[in-house]
Amino acid sequence: MEESARLSRNRSRRLALLHNQKRYSGEKPMRFVTLVAYLSLIICLAGILYRLVRWCALPVGPESEDVGIIPRLLAAITALTATLVLPRRLFALMRTVLLEVIVQRRILRQSRVRWAVHMMIFYGMLLLIVMHTFDDQITAHWFSGYASTLNPFMFLRNLLGIMVLVGVIAALWRRRSIRTPRRTTAFSDLFLPALLAGIVLTGAALEAVQIISPTLFDQMVSDYMRSEDPEEIAPLKAFWSERFEVAFTPPPTHDPLVMRQGRRLHAEYCAACHSRPVSAVLAFPLVLAIKPLSEHIAGLDLTTWLWYVHYLISCLALALLPFSKLFHLFAAPVSLIARALGPAATDSPANRPTRRAMSLDACTHCGVCNRHCAVAPIFQVIANPRILPSEKLGGVADLAAGRKDACAHILLAEGSCICTACGRCTRFCPSGIDLQDLWAASTADLNRQGYAEPHGWIGRHTASEWAQILKTHPHSNPGKSSLQRPDIRLADNPDTFWACIQCSTCTNVCPVVAASEDPQRDLELTPQQIMNLMRLQLKETALGSRMVWNCVTCYKCQEHCPQNVRVADVLYELRNEAFRRLCQCRRRTEEDDSGRQLTSPSRRSIDA
Ligand code: SF4
Ligand code: SF4
Ligand code: SF4
Ligand code: SF4
């Protein structure tokens, strides 16, 4: 009977403790805390709604010219209803959710390490949210004996935190070790891991300062032992000082008799809600690190400050969810499901722009497409990031959003022109984005907006006209481009050409020269003549020649050159240089048109 009464007493204390846990983090102005939480939730929900509406509004592809937002919304609802009603589509949906969303089979097939990293971050964070953030609403209801300071909950929470941290560190390490062009890094690629790591680390630090805090110990003793008598509390203090790492000042003596009394008091009042802090595998090393400093940090009220930081970072993550890369948590599963139901081209015309807009949000910027892209190595020579599919996607998003940046759209046009539509990016994209369809749609959009493929507008002037423009235009400076990679500045280095003996082999093997009936008329200069001009430091003349634009980069000239001159690389670099200057001219001219008056040369001379 006595034992059962004790257990019942402990249980009611445990429940009371559960409801009072947050109080032991220090007194918080609850109105402010609740307001921040609700505000974050409202921003999050409003943001999600905005993104969903945007899916039906963003014009991506030629079909969007003919269908408005309402028909697109209806088409999306029809497709969704058909998926839920038709057994075949429903089966495909369930299969995709299981294999592609829950198991992440696409990533597993590509790399086990990447899959493990992804799973650690995703499931670690998801379980932390379920088990820890919503402990009152979920965990306490599922487990009647739940207390956050009790095992296995305390151990599991710390283990999940370690999973997220290890995943974040591994993801950053991989991003650093796999370099451009295979993977590029944007601010958002670093911000999201930093945010997740910040949440976990502040949580661990908070737990560590709570463990060593004598103030929290006093509060708990006062609430549950209901004693203010120092002599009665002293054995419990000694026991908690030794076994629970509470940093009392001065430290109590650990006399064996006192410790036995402390153990008895602990079993009576505390054991039902507290496991030893060594089980907090993430926070415990921090406990050992800060315990010697406890005297110095005692007055800082760190439990309160860290609680605020942890809480506010978590609210920030919630509010940013629809406006950051985190949104792929919604968009990527939708994209995978849509892909499983068929390619975008087989969808109704009214639904295609919506699918494409949704795909733009599903990209995680993982760079897998770059690794498989047939033309990614060209980025090493033409430093146009829009050649890489992961970056081209950003250009497509800018174009669809109506961003006014002519130079960016010209770069996108060049990237689209270089793409061979091999479909490898689509096949390997872990988010299931139909990239090939996006490229076709964006190319049509570019053409419609006047950003034809580069040779379309370059061909409007003869080589000598371009050479003249390049020489005389005030905005065409031959300075170093931010996109130009320093290791491929061949054209300005005399060592590149000094060995050329003008043997004409490069010209004789060139298929472009061979295909021309009159090379002087069609190409103006042959590869050998260009090499000669470069030797004579007449780069500006060589820059504008048609040969530079007509070279198909077959590398025959370079392979056959008896002197190992990098003929094809030089031609590529010249084209890149000319293109960069033309973009610069065009952009500045547009800026001038909107404000100042351009004097020389006339706008017409460089207008595409
Ligand atoms: S398009 Fe796909 S593969 Fe490429 S970066 Fe985005 S999610 Fe990764
Ligand atoms: S379709 Fe274009 S972007 Fe995609 S892998 Fe092939 S060449 Fe690269
Ligand atoms: S670049 Fe090579 S192949 Fe061409 S003319 Fe010079 S030495 Fe001959
Ligand atoms: S790389 Fe260009 S210049 Fe050289 S052989 Fe091929 S087409 Fe001719």
Side-chain angles (χ1 to χ4, degrees):
M1 281 297 286
E2 195 181 323
E3 179 65 9
S4 122
R6 192 177 68 79
L7 285 175
S8 151
R9 212 167 47 238
N10 277 344
R11 180 171 157 67
S12 56
R13 278 178 194 143
R14 202 162 54 215
L15 289 174
L17 177 62
L18 174 65
H19 290 109
N20 284 319
Q21 271 171 30
K22 290 182 175 74
R23 200 155 68 79
Y24 294 117
S25 306
E27 292 297 329
K28 316 286 179 314
M30 289 312 288
R31 275 204 192 144
F32 168 74
V33 166
T34 314
L35 184 73
V36 170
Y38 277 115
L39 200 62
S40 309
L41 189 64
I42 289 168
I43 293 173
C44 175
L45 293 176
I48 290 173
L49 188 66
Y50 164 73
R51 295 298 281 256
L52 294 181
V53 172
R54 201 163 172 265
W55 285 357
C56 294
L58 216 56
V60 196
E63 300 89 348
S64 45
E65 276 204 324
D66 307 324
V67 277
I69 182 168
I70 301 295
R72 279 173 65 174
L73 190 62
L74 291 175
I77 293 171
T78 309
L80 184 66
T81 313
T83 305
L84 296 174
V85 170
L86 298 177
R88 190 180 59 80
R89 289 172 77 98
L90 187 62
F91 178 72
L93 171 95
M94 286 160 55
R95 193 166 177 274
T96 309
V97 168
L98 179 67
L99 295 177
E100 308 293 357
V101 179
I102 296 176
V103 180
Q104 301 274 326
R105 188 177 57 168
R106 273 174 177 248
I107 301 178
L108 180 61
R109 279 179 178 159
Q110 286 164 17
S111 160
R112 285 185 192 168
V113 176
R114 212 165 76 77
W115 179 81
V117 168
H118 196 88
M119 293 306 244
M120 277 196 284
I121 297 176
F122 179 69
Y123 283 106
M125 211 62 215
L126 185 72
L127 291 174
L128 269 179
I129 291 169
V130 170
M131 194 186 116
H132 174 59
T133 312
F134 295 105
D135 57 355
D136 285 358
Q137 294 80 11
I138 298 175
T139 323
H141 278 279
W142 284 359
F143 303 96
S144 57
Y146 172 76
S148 67
T149 47
L150 194 65
N151 279 335
F153 309 106
M154 181 165 71
F155 171 73
L156 280 176
R157 185 178 62 246
N158 279 264
L159 187 67
L160 293 172
I162 288 178
M163 274 171 61
V164 174
L165 273 187
V166 170
V168 163
I169 291 167
L172 290 176
W173 179 79
R174 274 176 65 79
R175 189 164 279 284
R176 196 177 151 70
S177 61
I178 303 172
R179 291 192 172 276
T180 311
R182 295 310 178 191
R183 181 169 288 181
T184 54
T185 299
F187 171 74
S188 59
D189 298 324
L190 302 178
F191 179 71
L192 179 59
L195 195 66
L196 297 183
I199 292 172
V200 172
L201 285 175
T202 51
L206 174 63
E207 188 164 5
V209 294
Q210 284 177 333
I211 287 171
I212 65 165
S213 168
T215 314
L216 295 189
F217 173 85
D218 290 342
Q219 280 178 9
M220 283 191 286
V221 166
S222 140
D223 282 357
Y224 296 104
M225 199 170 154
R226 298 190 190 286
S227 171
E228 304 282 323
D229 182 357
E231 280 192 22
E232 199 183 348
I233 297 168
L236 190 62
K237 257 185 160 177
F239 187 77
W240 270 61
S241 162
E242 191 194 80
R243 309 299 297 272
F244 285 81
E245 308 296 341
V246 180
F248 294 107
T249 311
T253 53
H254 298 141
D255 179 77
L257 183 62
V258 175
M259 289 295 284
R260 267 203 299 280
Q261 288 174 348
R263 184 189 297 275
R264 189 184 56 73
L265 287 172
H266 170 76
E268 174 72 10
Y269 295 105
C270 315
C273 298
H274 288 276
S275 299
R276 286 194 60 198
V278 70
S279 309
V281 282
L282 179 59
F284 194 68
L286 293 175
V287 169
L288 298 182
I290 61 174
K291 199 175 171 189
L293 309 171
S294 57
E295 265 185 69
H296 307 289
I297 60 176
L300 298 178
D301 196 11
L302 279 181
T303 49
T304 303
W305 285 113
L306 278 171
W307 187 90
Y308 273 124
V309 174
H310 180 61
Y311 185 81
L312 291 177
I313 294 180
S314 305
C315 287
L316 180 71
L318 178 66
L320 286 180
L321 192 145
F323 307 104
S324 66
K325 206 173 141 182
L326 272 174
F327 192 63
H328 80 264
L329 292 172
F330 283 95
V334 180
S335 167
L336 284 163
I337 291 166
R339 181 101 184 94
L341 298 176
T346 61
D347 219 327
S348 71
N351 211 25
R352 280 179 220 158
T354 309
R355 266 185 75 163
R356 292 178 194 131
M358 175 262 295
S359 299
L360 294 175
D361 284 341
C363 177
T364 59
H365 207 239
C366 64
V368 168
C369 47
N370 298 346
R371 259 187 285 156
H372 296 280
C373 175
V375 298
I378 294 178
F379 174 70
Q380 301 280 18
V381 182
I382 303 176
N384 172 2
R386 301 299 193 213
I387 291 169
L388 304 172
S390 71
E391 308 310 300
K392 200 158 52 166
L393 210 63
V396 175
D398 288 345
L399 185 73
R403 197 178 141 209
K404 299 269 181 259
D405 186 342
C407 198
H409 298 336
I410 291 168
L411 290 175
L412 178 64
E414 188 188 48
S416 304
C417 176
I418 288 170
C419 169
T420 59
C422 66
R424 287 162 65 84
C425 49
T426 302
R427 196 159 82 239
F428 290 101
C429 173
S431 296
I433 302 174
D434 192 343
L435 291 160
Q436 248 180 304
D437 174 68
L438 265 178
W439 305 153
S442 62
T443 304
D445 287 346
L446 280 167
N447 286 335
R448 224 176 41 240
Q449 295 186 28
Y451 297 100
E453 291 166 345
H455 49 259
W457 54 276
I458 284 164
R460 295 194 184 183
H461 297 281
T462 64
S464 49
E465 281 172 350
W466 277 126
Q468 187 62 21
I469 291 167
L470 292 174
K471 259 186 271 177
T472 56
H473 195 278
H475 296 317
S476 170
N477 86 68
K480 194 172 172 213
S481 160
S482 59
L483 290 176
Q484 189 80 43
R485 298 167 73 78
D487 54 335
I488 56 167
R489 297 287 290 184
L490 297 171
D492 296 328
N493 185 357
D495 287 349
T496 312
F497 316 101
W498 73 268
C500 175
I501 51 173
Q502 287 293 295
C503 66
S504 296
T505 305
C506 48
T507 298
N508 293 337
V509 296
C510 176
V512 174
V513 175
S516 166
E517 285 179 6
D518 184 352
Q520 195 175 357
R521 181 197 66 204
D522 298 337
L523 306 171
E524 296 177 320
L525 294 170
T526 62
Q528 168 238 332
Q529 287 170 329
I530 290 178
M531 292 306 114
N532 197 30
L533 286 171
M534 300 303 290
R535 284 196 319 168
L536 299 171
Q537 301 199 348
L538 294 171
K539 186 172 94 173
E540 300 300 315
T541 310
L543 262 182
S545 81
R546 286 187 176 168
M547 184 66 227
V548 169
W549 300 105
N550 286 333
C551 167
V552 294
T553 59
C554 65
Y555 276 79
K556 275 194 167 182
C557 51
Q558 195 157 315
E559 282 167 11
H560 285 81
C561 174
Q563 297 294 93
N564 292 328
V565 177
R566 293 170 66 180
V567 188
D569 285 342
V570 170
L571 287 173
Y572 234 173
E573 191 179 306
L574 287 178
R575 180 152 62 184
N576 187 25
E577 170 80 7
F579 183 73
R580 183 185 67 79
R581 290 204 219 168
L582 294 173
C583 287
Q584 197 175 27
C585 292
R586 184 169 164 158
R587 190 181 65 222
R588 296 277 174 82
T589 304
E590 286 185 359
E591 285 169 8
D592 286 349
D593 277 359
S594 61
R596 287 157 280 126
Q597 191 68 33
L598 185 70
T599 50
S600 171
S602 71
R603 190 203 186 297
R604 196 178 55 75
S605 68
I606 58 164
D607 191 5

